[in-house]
């Protein structure tokens, strides 16, 4: 079960406003550059092969499974969504960065391809062109903001587990098991005590996270019944989900 958003403005004294401003600046710059580039796409024909090439590159990137041996690192200020608090952080894996880059390129190529195939004249073209360009730019700007603002790909804090924009309450976790996809370990499945009947069990970690499944399971099991201890830095190997 996802945690409800508080809806309150963050405190001016939480110490992370420079990070917020940096994330917003990067998001605006990315959106502006992408929008400016898309507005300059000339009308063309026969660009479908470029889109298919980008799709193929995206599919090949998803089939790449490099070794993951990252650790969970404790941070005094873990940022994500509406909260800033101490916790353990797992960074994005190399495969995750490749996926993010391929998704970005694919979205830009699709947007540019659609703009290039629009006719030169027509009242609806004058409306569709800026809407499409601003939409793609805004989506990529939001992605850039999240990459700068969020601390790590996955975070374990006293209040919740966060994986990307997914937030899960510790108290609602009933069981932790490895998750497999296409015969490979790909994340940790969290069976929830209370969930919607058609909602699948959430999966955290996986190929896009640098921490392997065994370390992530060990860390979640260690703090599942006492997440409040994540508010202070663990001693020794315990911060990394290792035994001992």
């Amino acid at each position: 079960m996802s945690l409800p958003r508080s809806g309150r403005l963050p405190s001016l004294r939480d110490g992370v406003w420079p990070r917020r401003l940096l994330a917003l600046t990067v998001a605006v710059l990315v959106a502006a550059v992408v929008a400016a580039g898309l507005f300059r796409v000339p009308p063309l024909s026969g660009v479908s092969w470029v889109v298919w090439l980008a799709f193929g590159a995206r599919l090949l990137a998803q089939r790449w499974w490099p070794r993951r041996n990252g650790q969970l690192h404790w941070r005094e200020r873990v940022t994500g969504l509406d909260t800033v608090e101490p916790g353990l952080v797992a960074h994005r894996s190399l495969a995750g960065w490749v996926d993010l880059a391929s998704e970005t390129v694919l979205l830009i190529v699709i947007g540019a391809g659609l703009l290039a195939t629009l006719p030169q004249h027509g009242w609806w073209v004058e409306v569709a062109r800026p809407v499409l360009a601003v939409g793609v730019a805004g989506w990529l700007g939001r992605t850039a903001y999240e990459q700068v603002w969020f601390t790590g790909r996955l975070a374990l804090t006293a209040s919740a587990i966060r994986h990307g924009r997914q937030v899960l309450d510790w108290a609602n976790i009933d069981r932790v098991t490895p998750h497999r996809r296409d015969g490979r370990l790909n994340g940790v499945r969290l069976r929830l005590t209370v969930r919607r009947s058609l909602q699948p069990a959430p999966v955290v970690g996986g190929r896009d996270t640098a921490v392997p499944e065994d370390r992530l399971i060990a860390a979640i099991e260690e703090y599942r019944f006492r997440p409040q201890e994540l508010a202070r830095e663990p001693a020794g190997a315990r911060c990394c989900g290792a035994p001992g």
Side-chain angles (χ1 to χ4, degrees), residues 47-214:
V47 297
S48 59
W49 67 271
V50 179
V51 177
W52 283 110
L53 182 63
F55 268 115
R58 170 66 178 145
L59 291 176
L60 288 176
Q62 289 180 321
R63 302 296 297 178
W64 181 49
W65 287 74
R67 183 180 178 183
R68 294 173 292 130
N69 57 1
Q71 304 284 351
L72 285 159
H73 302 279
W74 189 84
R75 296 288 183 265
E76 184 178 0
R77 289 174 177 170
V78 178
T79 58
L81 298 180
D82 294 332
T83 60
V84 179
E85 56 185 336
L88 295 174
V89 172
H91 295 296
R92 185 184 290 271
S93 66
L94 179 59
W97 285 113
V98 171
D99 285 347
L100 182 63
S102 64
E103 289 172 2
T104 300
V105 172
L106 178 60
L107 183 59
I108 293 176
V109 168
I110 291 176
L114 292 175
L115 287 171
T117 56
L118 290 176
Q120 295 185 1
H121 305 289
W123 66 267
W124 65 273
V125 176
E126 302 300 325
V127 176
R129 184 176 295 275
V131 168
L132 182 58
V134 171
V136 173
W139 185 273
L140 293 179
R142 175 186 174 182
T143 300
Y145 178 88
E146 291 178 353
Q147 293 308 310
V148 178
W149 168 240
F150 288 164
T151 303
R153 178 60 177 164
L154 183 145
L156 310 180
T157 67
S159 63
I161 298 176
R162 177 187 58 78
H163 183 207
R165 294 187 62 82
Q166 179 180 225
V167 182
L168 302 161
D169 187 357
W170 286 100
N172 197 31
I173 299 175
D174 179 57
R175 183 180 298 178
V176 182
T177 58
H179 172 68
R180 289 185 176 273
R181 189 183 72 179
D182 298 332
R184 298 174 181 262
L185 282 177
N186 188 34
V188 177
R189 184 186 301 275
L190 305 179
R191 194 175 78 174
L192 304 182
T193 304
V194 179
R195 67 182 179 92
R196 297 176 182 175
S197 58
L198 298 179
Q199 183 182 36
V203 176
V204 298
R207 180 177 167 279
D208 65 349
T209 306
V211 177
E213 284 74 15
D214 57 342

Side-chain angles (χ1 to χ4, degrees), residues 15-44:
V16 290
W17 274 98
R19 187 186 182 106
R20 287 190 180 93
L21 294 176
L22 174 62
L24 181 60
T25 301
V26 171
V28 171
L29 288 175
V30 169
V33 170
V34 172
L38 291 177
F39 275 121
R40 297 176 66 87
V41 173
L44 297 172

